[in-house]
mmCIF file of all heavy atoms in Angstrom:
data_model
loop_
_atom_site.group_PDB
_atom_site.id
_atom_site.type_symbol
_atom_site.label_atom_id
_atom_site.label_comp_id
_atom_site.label_asym_id
_atom_site.label_seq_id
_atom_site.Cartn_x
_atom_site.Cartn_y
_atom_site.Cartn_z
ATOM 1 N N ALA A 1 2.432 -0.491 -5.198
ATOM 2 C CA ALA A 1 1.477 0.522 -4.772
ATOM 3 C C ALA A 1 2.201 1.834 -4.576
ATOM 4 O O ALA A 1 3.390 1.860 -4.264
ATOM 5 C CB ALA A 1 0.767 0.106 -3.478
ATOM 6 N N ALA A 2 1.472 2.911 -4.755
ATOM 7 C CA ALA A 2 2.034 4.239 -4.559
ATOM 8 C C ALA A 2 0.982 5.151 -3.964
ATOM 9 O O ALA A 2 -0.222 4.929 -4.131
ATOM 10 C CB ALA A 2 2.546 4.816 -5.882
ATOM 11 N N ILE A 3 1.449 6.171 -3.287
ATOM 12 C CA ILE A 3 0.545 7.121 -2.659
ATOM 13 C C ILE A 3 1.174 8.504 -2.710
ATOM 14 O O ILE A 3 2.370 8.668 -2.485
ATOM 15 C CB ILE A 3 0.216 6.701 -1.203
ATOM 16 C CG1 ILE A 3 -0.817 7.631 -0.584
ATOM 17 C CG2 ILE A 3 1.484 6.627 -0.354
ATOM 18 C CD1 ILE A 3 -1.385 7.101 0.734
ATOM 19 N N THR A 4 0.368 9.499 -3.020
ATOM 20 C CA THR A 4 0.838 10.871 -3.063
ATOM 21 C C THR A 4 0.673 11.524 -1.702
ATOM 22 O O THR A 4 0.043 10.981 -0.792
ATOM 23 C CB THR A 4 0.083 11.686 -4.116
ATOM 24 O OG1 THR A 4 -1.282 11.860 -3.691
ATOM 25 C CG2 THR A 4 0.108 10.992 -5.470
ATOM 26 N N SER A 5 1.225 12.712 -1.582
ATOM 27 C CA SER A 5 1.089 13.448 -0.332
ATOM 28 C C SER A 5 -0.362 13.792 -0.034
ATOM 29 O O SER A 5 -0.725 13.971 1.129
ATOM 30 C CB SER A 5 1.934 14.727 -0.367
ATOM 31 O OG SER A 5 1.515 15.585 -1.415
ATOM 32 N N GLY A 6 -1.174 13.878 -1.078
ATOM 33 C CA GLY A 6 -2.588 14.163 -0.906
ATOM 34 C C GLY A 6 -3.443 12.950 -0.637
ATOM 35 O O GLY A 6 -4.647 13.090 -0.395
ATOM 36 N N GLY A 7 -2.847 11.764 -0.696
ATOM 37 C CA GLY A 7 -3.576 10.557 -0.372
ATOM 38 C C GLY A 7 -4.079 9.756 -1.552
ATOM 39 O O GLY A 7 -4.730 8.721 -1.352
ATOM 40 N N SER A 8 -3.803 10.191 -2.768
ATOM 41 C CA SER A 8 -4.198 9.409 -3.931
ATOM 42 C C SER A 8 -3.354 8.149 -4.017
ATOM 43 O O SER A 8 -2.143 8.194 -3.812
ATOM 44 C CB SER A 8 -4.039 10.225 -5.208
ATOM 45 O OG SER A 8 -4.890 11.357 -5.197
ATOM 46 N N THR A 9 -3.986 7.038 -4.338
ATOM 47 C CA THR A 9 -3.292 5.755 -4.355
ATOM 48 C C THR A 9 -3.403 5.082 -5.705
ATOM 49 O O THR A 9 -4.321 5.336 -6.481
ATOM 50 C CB THR A 9 -3.840 4.806 -3.281
ATOM 51 O OG1 THR A 9 -5.244 4.599 -3.501
ATOM 52 C CG2 THR A 9 -3.631 5.389 -1.893
ATOM 53 N N ASN A 10 -2.460 4.203 -5.956
ATOM 54 C CA ASN A 10 -2.439 3.404 -7.163
ATOM 55 C C ASN A 10 -1.888 2.034 -6.800
ATOM 56 O O ASN A 10 -0.888 1.938 -6.088
ATOM 57 C CB ASN A 10 -1.581 4.058 -8.242
ATOM 58 C CG ASN A 10 -1.644 3.319 -9.553
ATOM 59 O OD1 ASN A 10 -2.704 2.895 -9.989
ATOM 60 N ND2 ASN A 10 -0.495 3.174 -10.211
ATOM 61 N N TYR A 11 -2.540 0.980 -7.300
ATOM 62 C CA TYR A 11 -2.150 -0.379 -6.983
ATOM 63 C C TYR A 11 -1.975 -1.199 -8.240
ATOM 64 O O TYR A 11 -2.691 -1.014 -9.230
ATOM 65 C CB TYR A 11 -3.201 -1.077 -6.123
ATOM 66 C CG TYR A 11 -3.401 -0.496 -4.755
ATOM 67 C CD1 TYR A 11 -4.369 0.477 -4.529
ATOM 68 C CD2 TYR A 11 -2.639 -0.924 -3.677
ATOM 69 C CE1 TYR A 11 -4.562 1.008 -3.271
ATOM 70 C CE2 TYR A 11 -2.829 -0.401 -2.413
ATOM 71 C CZ TYR A 11 -3.795 0.566 -2.215
ATOM 72 O OH TYR A 11 -3.995 1.095 -0.961
ATOM 73 N N ALA A 12 -1.040 -2.120 -8.186
ATOM 74 C CA ALA A 12 -0.946 -3.121 -9.233
ATOM 75 C C ALA A 12 -2.170 -4.016 -9.180
ATOM 76 O O ALA A 12 -2.709 -4.296 -8.099
ATOM 77 C CB ALA A 12 0.321 -3.957 -9.060
ATOM 78 N N ASP A 13 -2.626 -4.460 -10.336
ATOM 79 C CA ASP A 13 -3.816 -5.300 -10.375
ATOM 80 C C ASP A 13 -3.656 -6.560 -9.528
ATOM 81 O O ASP A 13 -4.627 -7.047 -8.939
ATOM 82 C CB ASP A 13 -4.141 -5.687 -11.812
ATOM 83 C CG ASP A 13 -4.665 -4.528 -12.631
ATOM 84 O OD1 ASP A 13 -5.133 -3.534 -12.041
ATOM 85 O OD2 ASP A 13 -4.618 -4.619 -13.871
ATOM 86 N N SER A 14 -2.457 -7.072 -9.453
ATOM 87 C CA SER A 14 -2.220 -8.317 -8.749
ATOM 88 C C SER A 14 -2.389 -8.209 -7.237
ATOM 89 O O SER A 14 -2.508 -9.234 -6.554
ATOM 90 C CB SER A 14 -0.817 -8.846 -9.062
ATOM 91 O OG SER A 14 0.173 -7.914 -8.680
ATOM 92 N N VAL A 15 -2.403 -6.994 -6.707
ATOM 93 C CA VAL A 15 -2.504 -6.825 -5.259
ATOM 94 C C VAL A 15 -3.754 -6.081 -4.832
ATOM 95 O O VAL A 15 -3.993 -5.931 -3.620
ATOM 96 C CB VAL A 15 -1.260 -6.115 -4.681
ATOM 97 C CG1 VAL A 15 0.012 -6.841 -5.099
ATOM 98 C CG2 VAL A 15 -1.213 -4.653 -5.119
ATOM 99 N N LYS A 16 -4.543 -5.632 -5.765
ATOM 100 C CA LYS A 16 -5.764 -4.912 -5.415
ATOM 101 C C LYS A 16 -6.675 -5.782 -4.566
ATOM 102 O O LYS A 16 -6.895 -6.947 -4.857
ATOM 103 C CB LYS A 16 -6.498 -4.462 -6.677
ATOM 104 C CG LYS A 16 -5.863 -3.285 -7.383
ATOM 105 C CD LYS A 16 -6.681 -2.860 -8.592
ATOM 106 C CE LYS A 16 -6.067 -1.652 -9.271
ATOM 107 N NZ LYS A 16 -6.825 -1.250 -10.477
ATOM 108 N N GLY A 17 -7.186 -5.185 -3.514
ATOM 109 C CA GLY A 17 -8.047 -5.900 -2.600
ATOM 110 C C GLY A 17 -7.318 -6.644 -1.517
ATOM 111 O O GLY A 17 -7.946 -7.099 -0.556
ATOM 112 N N ARG A 18 -6.003 -6.786 -1.654
ATOM 113 C CA ARG A 18 -5.211 -7.499 -0.657
ATOM 114 C C ARG A 18 -4.222 -6.584 0.062
ATOM 115 O O ARG A 18 -3.971 -6.764 1.250
ATOM 116 C CB ARG A 18 -4.439 -8.646 -1.300
ATOM 117 C CG ARG A 18 -5.327 -9.694 -1.957
ATOM 118 C CD ARG A 18 -4.523 -10.915 -2.391
ATOM 119 N NE ARG A 18 -3.524 -10.587 -3.401
ATOM 120 C CZ ARG A 18 -2.217 -10.777 -3.254
ATOM 121 N NH1 ARG A 18 -1.738 -11.311 -2.134
ATOM 122 N NH2 ARG A 18 -1.375 -10.455 -4.238
ATOM 123 N N PHE A 19 -3.662 -5.637 -0.661
ATOM 124 C CA PHE A 19 -2.663 -4.737 -0.092
ATOM 125 C C PHE A 19 -3.262 -3.353 0.078
ATOM 126 O O PHE A 19 -4.086 -2.911 -0.728
ATOM 127 C CB PHE A 19 -1.441 -4.623 -1.001
ATOM 128 C CG PHE A 19 -0.601 -5.862 -1.103
ATOM 129 C CD1 PHE A 19 -1.015 -7.071 -0.567
ATOM 130 C CD2 PHE A 19 0.617 -5.809 -1.758
ATOM 131 C CE1 PHE A 19 -0.235 -8.211 -0.673
ATOM 132 C CE2 PHE A 19 1.407 -6.940 -1.870
ATOM 133 C CZ PHE A 19 0.984 -8.144 -1.331
ATOM 134 N N THR A 20 -2.816 -2.667 1.103
ATOM 135 C CA THR A 20 -3.235 -1.298 1.347
ATOM 136 C C THR A 20 -2.019 -0.443 1.666
ATOM 137 O O THR A 20 -1.243 -0.782 2.555
ATOM 138 C CB THR A 20 -4.233 -1.208 2.512
ATOM 139 O OG1 THR A 20 -5.374 -2.020 2.236
ATOM 140 C CG2 THR A 20 -4.688 0.242 2.709
ATOM 141 N N ILE A 21 -1.872 0.636 0.929
ATOM 142 C CA ILE A 21 -0.783 1.553 1.187
ATOM 143 C C ILE A 21 -1.315 2.747 1.967
ATOM 144 O O ILE A 21 -2.427 3.216 1.728
ATOM 145 C CB ILE A 21 -0.098 2.001 -0.121
ATOM 146 C CG1 ILE A 21 1.193 2.770 0.171
ATOM 147 C CG2 ILE A 21 -1.035 2.818 -0.994
ATOM 148 C CD1 ILE A 21 2.054 3.002 -1.061
ATOM 149 N N SER A 22 -0.530 3.209 2.903
ATOM 150 C CA SER A 22 -0.899 4.367 3.688
ATOM 151 C C SER A 22 0.350 5.180 3.972
ATOM 152 O O SER A 22 1.470 4.728 3.758
ATOM 153 C CB SER A 22 -1.607 3.967 4.988
ATOM 154 O OG SER A 22 -0.773 3.162 5.796
ATOM 155 N N ARG A 23 0.130 6.373 4.481
ATOM 156 C CA ARG A 23 1.252 7.290 4.639
ATOM 157 C C ARG A 23 1.027 8.210 5.822
ATOM 158 O O ARG A 23 -0.080 8.688 6.052
ATOM 159 C CB ARG A 23 1.413 8.098 3.340
ATOM 160 C CG ARG A 23 2.457 9.173 3.341
ATOM 161 C CD ARG A 23 2.601 9.740 1.941
ATOM 162 N NE ARG A 23 3.502 10.872 1.901
ATOM 163 C CZ ARG A 23 3.931 11.455 0.792
ATOM 164 N NH1 ARG A 23 3.536 10.999 -0.388
ATOM 165 N NH2 ARG A 23 4.753 12.485 0.862
ATOM 166 N N ASP A 24 2.085 8.450 6.546
ATOM 167 C CA ASP A 24 2.088 9.420 7.624
ATOM 168 C C ASP A 24 3.031 10.533 7.193
ATOM 169 O O ASP A 24 4.253 10.404 7.295
ATOM 170 C CB ASP A 24 2.548 8.782 8.936
ATOM 171 C CG ASP A 24 2.418 9.714 10.121
ATOM 172 O OD1 ASP A 24 2.442 10.942 9.931
ATOM 173 O OD2 ASP A 24 2.294 9.215 11.249
ATOM 174 N N ASN A 25 2.474 11.604 6.692
ATOM 175 C CA ASN A 25 3.292 12.689 6.164
ATOM 176 C C ASN A 25 4.154 13.341 7.241
ATOM 177 O O ASN A 25 5.274 13.770 6.966
ATOM 178 C CB ASN A 25 2.404 13.744 5.499
ATOM 179 C CG ASN A 25 1.772 13.257 4.218
ATOM 180 O OD1 ASN A 25 2.333 12.413 3.524
ATOM 181 N ND2 ASN A 25 0.606 13.786 3.893
ATOM 182 N N ALA A 26 3.623 13.425 8.443
ATOM 183 C CA ALA A 26 4.374 14.043 9.523
ATOM 184 C C ALA A 26 5.637 13.261 9.854
ATOM 185 O O ALA A 26 6.642 13.834 10.273
ATOM 186 C CB ALA A 26 3.502 14.191 10.763
ATOM 187 N N LYS A 27 5.577 11.952 9.672
ATOM 188 C CA LYS A 27 6.717 11.096 9.963
ATOM 189 C C LYS A 27 7.510 10.715 8.721
ATOM 190 O O LYS A 27 8.501 9.991 8.826
ATOM 191 C CB LYS A 27 6.259 9.824 10.667
ATOM 192 C CG LYS A 27 5.623 10.053 12.026
ATOM 193 C CD LYS A 27 5.199 8.736 12.665
ATOM 194 C CE LYS A 27 4.588 8.954 14.028
ATOM 195 N NZ LYS A 27 4.153 7.672 14.652
ATOM 196 N N ASN A 28 7.061 11.190 7.554
ATOM 197 C CA ASN A 28 7.692 10.810 6.285
ATOM 198 C C ASN A 28 7.832 9.298 6.172
ATOM 199 O O ASN A 28 8.881 8.778 5.787
ATOM 200 C CB ASN A 28 9.053 11.492 6.131
ATOM 201 C CG ASN A 28 8.930 12.978 5.876
ATOM 202 O OD1 ASN A 28 8.035 13.422 5.154
ATOM 203 N ND2 ASN A 28 9.827 13.759 6.456
ATOM 204 N N THR A 29 6.761 8.631 6.494
ATOM 205 C CA THR A 29 6.754 7.182 6.525
ATOM 206 C C THR A 29 5.597 6.648 5.693
ATOM 207 O O THR A 29 4.486 7.182 5.745
ATOM 208 C CB THR A 29 6.644 6.660 7.962
ATOM 209 O OG1 THR A 29 7.759 7.137 8.724
ATOM 210 C CG2 THR A 29 6.643 5.143 7.993
ATOM 211 N N VAL A 30 5.871 5.610 4.942
ATOM 212 C CA VAL A 30 4.851 4.946 4.158
ATOM 213 C C VAL A 30 4.768 3.494 4.611
ATOM 214 O O VAL A 30 5.778 2.886 4.976
ATOM 215 C CB VAL A 30 5.149 5.044 2.642
ATOM 216 C CG1 VAL A 30 6.434 4.312 2.278
ATOM 217 C CG2 VAL A 30 3.979 4.512 1.824
ATOM 218 N N TYR A 31 3.556 2.961 4.588
ATOM 219 C CA TYR A 31 3.308 1.605 5.036
ATOM 220 C C TYR A 31 2.652 0.804 3.930
ATOM 221 O O TYR A 31 1.962 1.343 3.069
ATOM 222 C CB TYR A 31 2.390 1.590 6.259
ATOM 223 C CG TYR A 31 2.867 2.447 7.405
ATOM 224 C CD1 TYR A 31 2.467 3.777 7.513
ATOM 225 C CD2 TYR A 31 3.714 1.934 8.374
ATOM 226 C CE1 TYR A 31 2.902 4.566 8.561
ATOM 227 C CE2 TYR A 31 4.153 2.715 9.423
ATOM 228 C CZ TYR A 31 3.737 4.034 9.518
ATOM 229 O OH TYR A 31 4.170 4.822 10.559
ATOM 230 N N LEU A 32 2.858 -0.478 3.979
ATOM 231 C CA LEU A 32 2.179 -1.384 3.075
ATOM 232 C C LEU A 32 1.646 -2.546 3.889
ATOM 233 O O LEU A 32 2.415 -3.378 4.372
ATOM 234 C CB LEU A 32 3.114 -1.896 1.974
ATOM 235 C CG LEU A 32 2.447 -2.750 0.896
ATOM 236 C CD1 LEU A 32 1.489 -1.900 0.059
ATOM 237 C CD2 LEU A 32 3.487 -3.409 0.007
ATOM 238 N N GLN A 33 0.340 -2.565 4.057
ATOM 239 C CA GLN A 33 -0.315 -3.671 4.731
ATOM 240 C C GLN A 33 -0.623 -4.738 3.696
ATOM 241 O O GLN A 33 -1.355 -4.482 2.742
ATOM 242 C CB GLN A 33 -1.598 -3.205 5.417
ATOM 243 C CG GLN A 33 -2.381 -4.315 6.109
ATOM 244 C CD GLN A 33 -1.643 -4.919 7.273
ATOM 245 O OE1 GLN A 33 -1.098 -4.190 8.098
ATOM 246 N NE2 GLN A 33 -1.624 -6.234 7.355
ATOM 247 N N MET A 34 -0.075 -5.914 3.894
ATOM 248 C CA MET A 34 -0.220 -7.003 2.942
ATOM 249 C C MET A 34 -1.009 -8.124 3.597
ATOM 250 O O MET A 34 -0.554 -8.722 4.576
ATOM 251 C CB MET A 34 1.142 -7.505 2.479
ATOM 252 C CG MET A 34 2.028 -6.414 1.878
ATOM 253 S SD MET A 34 3.587 -7.065 1.225
ATOM 254 C CE MET A 34 4.355 -7.624 2.747
ATOM 255 N N ASN A 35 -2.172 -8.392 3.065
ATOM 256 C CA ASN A 35 -3.034 -9.448 3.560
ATOM 257 C C ASN A 35 -3.206 -10.527 2.498
ATOM 258 O O ASN A 35 -2.946 -10.300 1.315
ATOM 259 C CB ASN A 35 -4.406 -8.887 3.956
ATOM 260 C CG ASN A 35 -4.337 -7.869 5.061
ATOM 261 O OD1 ASN A 35 -3.515 -7.975 5.971
ATOM 262 N ND2 ASN A 35 -5.218 -6.869 5.005
ATOM 263 N N SER A 36 -3.664 -11.677 2.934
ATOM 264 C CA SER A 36 -3.913 -12.796 2.023
ATOM 265 C C SER A 36 -2.717 -13.054 1.120
ATOM 266 O O SER A 36 -2.844 -13.198 -0.098
ATOM 267 C CB SER A 36 -5.171 -12.528 1.182
ATOM 268 O OG SER A 36 -6.304 -12.332 2.008
ATOM 269 N N LEU A 37 -1.562 -13.121 1.724
ATOM 270 C CA LEU A 37 -0.337 -13.256 0.958
ATOM 271 C C LEU A 37 -0.270 -14.599 0.236
ATOM 272 O O LEU A 37 -0.724 -15.623 0.749
ATOM 273 C CB LEU A 37 0.873 -13.091 1.866
ATOM 274 C CG LEU A 37 1.182 -11.640 2.239
ATOM 275 C CD1 LEU A 37 2.085 -11.574 3.450
ATOM 276 C CD2 LEU A 37 1.824 -10.922 1.053
ATOM 277 N N LYS A 38 0.309 -14.552 -0.945
ATOM 278 C CA LYS A 38 0.464 -15.715 -1.793
ATOM 279 C C LYS A 38 1.944 -15.963 -2.052
ATOM 280 O O LYS A 38 2.752 -15.040 -1.970
ATOM 281 C CB LYS A 38 -0.254 -15.494 -3.132
ATOM 282 C CG LYS A 38 -1.716 -15.121 -3.026
ATOM 283 C CD LYS A 38 -2.280 -14.790 -4.399
ATOM 284 C CE LYS A 38 -3.731 -14.389 -4.316
ATOM 285 N NZ LYS A 38 -4.284 -14.040 -5.654
ATOM 286 N N PRO A 39 2.310 -17.194 -2.379
ATOM 287 C CA PRO A 39 3.710 -17.446 -2.730
ATOM 288 C C PRO A 39 4.220 -16.549 -3.849
ATOM 289 O O PRO A 39 5.405 -16.201 -3.865
ATOM 290 C CB PRO A 39 3.701 -18.918 -3.158
ATOM 291 C CG PRO A 39 2.584 -19.516 -2.377
ATOM 292 C CD PRO A 39 1.531 -18.444 -2.324
ATOM 293 N N GLU A 40 3.339 -16.162 -4.751
ATOM 294 C CA GLU A 40 3.727 -15.285 -5.846
ATOM 295 C C GLU A 40 4.122 -13.894 -5.379
ATOM 296 O O GLU A 40 4.704 -13.128 -6.146
ATOM 297 C CB GLU A 40 2.585 -15.166 -6.866
ATOM 298 C CG GLU A 40 2.073 -16.493 -7.380
ATOM 299 C CD GLU A 40 0.881 -16.994 -6.590
ATOM 300 O OE1 GLU A 40 1.110 -17.674 -5.561
ATOM 301 O OE2 GLU A 40 -0.267 -16.720 -6.995
#
């Protein structure tokens, strides 16, 4: 997953609907919330 400074996001098909990327520009920090994790 990727996210721009403006908030545009892009996800791999394999994680769409399960992972969410977010960003705190003030902290220069990016997060990846991963739900419904699979062994893959």
Side-chain angles (χ1 to χ4, degrees):
I3 185 168
T4 69
S5 61
S8 297
T9 59
N10 185 43
Y11 295 92
D13 289 340
S14 59
V15 306
K16 285 182 178 178
R18 299 189 297 121
F19 291 9
T20 302
I21 190 169
S22 60
R23 176 173 174 172
D24 187 335
N25 290 331
K27 297 180 179 179
N28 289 322
T29 300
V30 64
Y31 306 91
L32 186 68
Q33 178 65 46
M34 304 184 294
N35 299 325
S36 301
L37 283 162
K38 305 174 181 179
E40 306 94 273

